């Protein structure tokens, strides 16, 4: 059976950036764009060049995506201006992007109130903008903003906007439920009507989640004929968010109605990385993951004690709609110490750590993990720290070195130019095979100074950590007050570009940071098979 191609358009870096509390750095955007490209997304909307310096810089050069079309977002030409005399349109056309996504009003009410122009001028703006982008060799998309509300009040004009885009050469005409209030049955009916005028393989859907139905509305639109879905990772977006690609992708891949009819560019192997992608985004944003998110949440395949747990231990399909491994998740049965042991064994298998199921040390590892998680440690993201905890408990981590003492001082003073500056100094005393090594380093903060001092001289192990560097540092306060417990996550990278995350927990942020730094260094030595 031949399946139709269904395209995925991600707007995490543009619409998702409008989420309250989300603030991407330029490095964040680059990292996320490549993460989306690797997942198999067809279009990655990077932002709005010209709207702010960061997006302008982001579109200043080709990001080097392998498959995804890097897409710039912006408005159609302004009313009363020509396409050749509109600075915003000129910035879009100059952006280093394979595709341009214009936003255009598709509601006569919005045209009158928001744009303060005529219906005819708005149609002309759509045509002129699409033509200008086509003339520059760009693939063109038009987001028909407020389409569904516009269709309800004036269907002829809403359809006229969609036709103007399509007939001028837009590859995709995207129908937007901008206010997020349209019901799934309305979406299906309206899309079916529009598909009589614009072919479905040129139609897309952009749904907002204000009634908790963005995913349902996107699927309803696909049933009615659209062949592109726009959404964001983890459902980021202004107000209540956008359609969640972390829910849509597995539904399209695993549910028979869609899997039999449609083909998306996300392979089964990449689908199995979806949990990692979802949580990697949360880590970048330094925010807790939604434990109850469908498919990718930590609790998505968790069952507590009772008849459900009893049944799922016999046959997982009794209470699982899909196998968790398909999306990179795993089941947990919170029923007894034995279940805790099973979870740890599963973690060891995933980490590739050899073990004997009858080894009594496994029981100590289970107890140790329970105690640490109760204290605030989280090993879901800190893969390297879990690896070390398991290896240490099983007696497989050499005592490479011991930090006998460290001291960190932060001082404010006036420099030679009379400017008030803050300077951090760290001193670390390390015992390497009986040899005492003392290193000191300054940094732009106490953690940076401690990191530099720790890695400055490890004697015979120094050559194994030369390529090690800290690439990200995140702090979470686990409870309130000045005596709050702090969790620190540190992401490190080696000379091969491989990355790992370590964790530390303490009421003292320096101590928590030191724990994570130590795990990072030791993990690098283990990974490098450094001799004891």
């Amino acid at each position: 059976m031949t399946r139709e191609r269904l395209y995925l358009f991600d707007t995490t870096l543009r619409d998702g950036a409008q989420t309250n509390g989300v603030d991407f750095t330029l490095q964040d955007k680059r990292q996320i764009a490549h993460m989306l490209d690797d997942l198999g997304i067809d279009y990655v909307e990077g932002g709005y060049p010209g709207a702010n310096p960061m997006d302008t810089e982001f579109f200043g050069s080709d990001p080097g995506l392998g498959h995804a079309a890097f897409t710039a977002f912006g408005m159609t030409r302004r009313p009363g201006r020509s396409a050749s005399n509109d600075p915003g349109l000129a910035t879009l056309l100059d952006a280093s992007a394979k595709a341009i996504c214009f936003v255009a009003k598709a509601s006569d009410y919005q045209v009158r109130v928001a744009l303060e122009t005529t219906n005819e001028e708005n149609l002309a703006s759509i045509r002129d903008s699409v033509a200008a982008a086509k003339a520059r060799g760009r693939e063109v998309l038009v987001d028909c903003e407020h389409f569904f509300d516009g269709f309800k009040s004036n269907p002829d004009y809403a359809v006229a906007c969609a036709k103007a885009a399509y007939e001028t050469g837009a590859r995709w005409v995207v129908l937007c439920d901008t206010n997020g209030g349209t019901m799934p049955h309305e979406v299906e009916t309206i899309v079916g009507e529009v598909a009589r005028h614009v072919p479905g393989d040129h139609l897309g859907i952009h749904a907002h989640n204000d009634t908790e139905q963005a995913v349902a509305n996107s699927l309803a639109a696909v049933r009615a004929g659209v062949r592109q879905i726009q959404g964001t990772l983890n459902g980021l977006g202004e107000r209540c968010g956008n359609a969640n690609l972390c829910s849509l992708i597995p539904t399209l891949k695993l549910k028979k109605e869609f899997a039999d009819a449609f083909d998306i560019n996300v392979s089964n192997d990449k689908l199995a990385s979806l949990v990692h992608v979802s949580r990697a985004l949360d880590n970048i944003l330094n925010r807790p993951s939604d434990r109850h998110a469908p498919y990718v949440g930590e609790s998505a395949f968790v069952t507590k004690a009772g008849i459900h747990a009893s049944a799922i231990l016999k046959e997982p399909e009794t209470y699982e709609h899909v196998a968790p491994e398909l999306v990179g998740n795993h089941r947990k049965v919170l029923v007894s110490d034995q279940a805790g042991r099973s979870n740890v064994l599963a973690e060891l298998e995933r980490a590739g750590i050899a073990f004997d199921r009858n080894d009594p040390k496994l029981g100590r590892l289970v107890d140790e993990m329970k105690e640490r998680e109760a204290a605030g440690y989280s090993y879901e993201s800190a893969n390297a720290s879990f690896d070390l905890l398991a290896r240490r408990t099983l007696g497989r981590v050499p005592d490479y070195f011991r930090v006998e003492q460290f001291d960190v001082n932060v001082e404010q003073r006036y420099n030679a130019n009379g400017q008030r500056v803050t300077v951090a100094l760290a001193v670390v005393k390390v015992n390497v095979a009986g040899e005492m090594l003392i290193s000191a380093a300054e940094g732009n903060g106490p953690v940076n100074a401690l990191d530099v001092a720790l890695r400055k001289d490890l004697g015979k192990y120094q050559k194994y950590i030369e390529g090690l560097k800290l690439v990200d540092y995140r702090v979470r306060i686990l409870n309130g007050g000045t005596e709050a417990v702090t969790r620190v996550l540190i992401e490190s990278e080696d000379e091969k570009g491989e990355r790992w995350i370590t964790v530390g927990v303490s009421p003292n942020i320096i101590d928590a940071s030191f724990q994570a730094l130590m795990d990072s260094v030791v993990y690098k030595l283990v990974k490098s098979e450094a001799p004891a």
Side-chain angles (χ1 to χ4, degrees):
M1 180 179 177
T2 302
R3 296 183 295 168
E4 285 190 75
R5 184 70 158 86
L6 191 61
Y7 294 83
L8 300 177
F9 181 109
D10 181 275
T11 181
T12 300
L13 301 178
R14 201 273 303 173
D15 231 349
Q18 299 183 57
T19 308
N20 184 26
V22 167
D23 187 18
F24 294 119
T25 66
L26 181 59
Q27 178 57 34
D28 291 341
K29 284 203 165 195
R30 288 172 174 156
Q31 182 179 347
I32 293 166
H34 282 275
M35 189 166 66
L36 291 164
D37 182 42
D38 184 63
L39 180 62
I41 300 299
D42 298 295
Y43 297 84
V44 173
E45 189 174 58
Y48 193 158
N52 58 71
M54 182 174 64
D55 278 4
T56 300
E57 183 178 355
F58 191 27
F59 283 94
S61 60
D62 186 342
L65 304 183
H67 162 77
F70 190 46
T71 306
F73 173 89
M75 294 177 63
T76 54
R77 71 157 176 81
R78 298 178 187 177
R81 285 182 178 265
S82 66
S84 61
N85 191 33
D86 187 302
L89 181 56
T91 300
L92 269 181
L93 297 177
D94 290 338
S96 293
K98 292 182 179 179
I100 293 176
C101 183
F102 291 108
V103 59
K105 302 293 185 186
S107 158
D108 60 348
Y109 169 75
Q110 294 288 337
V111 170
R112 184 177 73 254
V113 174
L115 294 183
E116 297 182 334
T117 190
T118 65
N119 288 352
E120 292 73 20
E121 174 66 6
N122 184 57
L123 290 172
S125 177
I126 294 172
R127 295 189 190 99
D128 292 348
S129 302
V130 172
K134 288 282 291 181
R136 294 284 289 269
R138 306 300 173 79
E139 182 175 344
V140 183
L141 304 89
V142 177
D143 279 1
C144 290
E145 193 180 30
H146 298 285
F147 184 86
F148 291 95
D149 292 334
F151 187 95
K152 293 173 192 176
S153 64
N154 186 341
D156 291 340
Y157 185 70
V159 170
C161 293
K163 289 177 65 178
Y166 171 66
E167 291 173 355
T168 313
R171 170 65 182 91
W172 294 103
V173 179
V174 183
L175 311 181
C176 302
D177 185 28
T178 308
N179 291 353
T182 307
M183 299 291 105
H185 70 278
E186 295 177 305
V187 168
E188 197 158 354
T189 299
I190 292 171
V191 170
E193 178 61 29
V194 177
R196 295 172 52 200
H197 304 276
V198 178
D201 59 1
H202 286 267
L203 289 176
I205 180 70
H206 179 109
H208 282 260
N209 204 36
D210 298 73
T211 63
E212 196 65 49
Q213 296 182 99
V215 169
N217 281 343
S218 299
L219 296 174
V222 171
R223 289 191 188 98
V226 309
R227 294 299 176 258
Q228 185 197 91
I229 299 177
Q230 294 194 359
T232 59
L233 290 179
N234 295 340
L236 292 183
E238 65 177 332
R239 302 190 312 273
C240 305
N242 288 44
N244 189 348
L245 289 178
C246 292
S247 297
L248 280 163
I249 290 171
T251 297
L252 294 169
K253 289 282 292 182
L254 302 176
K255 297 304 177 182
K256 184 176 175 59
E257 173 189 356
F258 300 102
D260 286 352
F262 302 106
D263 178 41
I264 63 175
N265 192 54
V266 179
S267 67
N268 291 337
D269 287 343
K270 294 303 180 183
L271 178 65
S273 73
L274 193 62
V275 167
H276 170 75
V277 169
S278 170
R279 295 177 190 175
L281 177 66
D282 287 327
N283 284 335
I284 290 170
L285 296 175
N286 195 23
R287 55 189 251 160
S289 298
D290 180 0
R291 297 175 63 90
H292 304 286
Y295 294 105
V296 297
E298 188 177 346
S299 297
F301 298 95
V302 169
T303 305
K304 276 194 172 184
I307 58 172
H308 291 192
S310 175
I312 208 168
L313 287 171
K314 297 174 183 175
E315 178 51 65
E317 289 183 5
T318 52
Y319 286 99
E320 289 177 354
H321 68 109
V322 297
E325 295 80 11
L326 295 176
V327 295
N329 214 330
H330 56 275
R331 73 180 55 89
K332 289 183 180 179
V333 180
L334 309 179
V335 58
S336 66
D337 288 342
Q338 182 60 38
R341 179 185 174 91
S342 299
N343 292 338
V344 170
L345 295 183
E347 294 285 351
L348 291 172
E349 289 176 350
R350 273 191 293 276
I353 299 174
F355 62 90
D356 180 352
R357 291 178 178 271
N358 297 318
D359 190 340
K361 294 177 183 176
L362 290 175
R364 293 204 298 273
L365 177 59
V366 171
D367 293 339
E368 180 76 7
M369 281 197 68
K370 286 181 178 180
E371 290 176 9
R372 284 175 165 261
E373 288 179 345
Y377 288 84
S378 175
Y379 293 101
E380 190 65 49
S381 297
N383 56 322
S385 285
F386 170 77
D387 186 291
L388 289 178
L389 175 64
R391 291 179 188 275
R392 285 187 179 116
T393 306
L394 297 175
R396 297 178 192 165
V397 177
D399 291 326
Y400 295 111
F401 64 92
R402 185 172 69 220
V403 174
E404 300 287 352
Q405 179 183 347
F406 73 82
D407 182 47
V408 180
N409 290 301
V410 178
E411 177 187 359
Q412 275 201 344
R413 63 175 183 242
Y414 290 98
N415 64 15
N417 297 321
Q419 299 170 320
R420 191 173 183 84
V421 295
T422 301
V423 178
L425 174 67
V427 179
V428 178
K429 183 178 181 181
V430 182
N431 183 335
V432 180
E435 181 184 7
M436 293 298 177
L437 304 171
I438 299 177
S439 300
E442 289 187 345
N444 57 14
V447 176
N448 177 238
L450 186 58
D451 174 41
V452 175
L454 177 62
R455 293 187 290 109
K456 198 169 187 178
D457 186 4
L458 282 183
K460 64 179 182 178
Y461 297 116
Q462 188 63 28
K463 63 181 179 181
Y464 295 100
I465 64 167
E466 289 293 350
L468 176 63
K469 62 181 179 180
L470 187 156
V471 294
D472 200 7
Y473 174 81
R474 297 183 293 277
V475 177
R476 278 198 62 199
I477 305 302
L478 302 182
N479 51 23
T482 56
E483 298 181 357
V485 173
T486 302
R487 178 193 295 154
V488 170
L489 288 172
I490 287 178
E491 185 172 8
S492 304
E493 184 179 71
D494 65 11
E495 64 278 3
K496 298 177 182 178
E498 295 181 18
R499 294 190 175 198
W500 58 89
I501 296 175
T502 51
V503 63
V505 173
S506 173
N508 185 311
I509 190 171
I510 302 299
D511 181 45
S513 302
F514 179 72
Q515 293 174 33
L517 287 171
M518 279 288 290
D519 269 7
S520 176
V521 173
V522 174
Y523 182 76
K524 177 65 168 72
L525 294 175
V526 170
K527 200 163 75 75
S528 302
E529 298 181 345

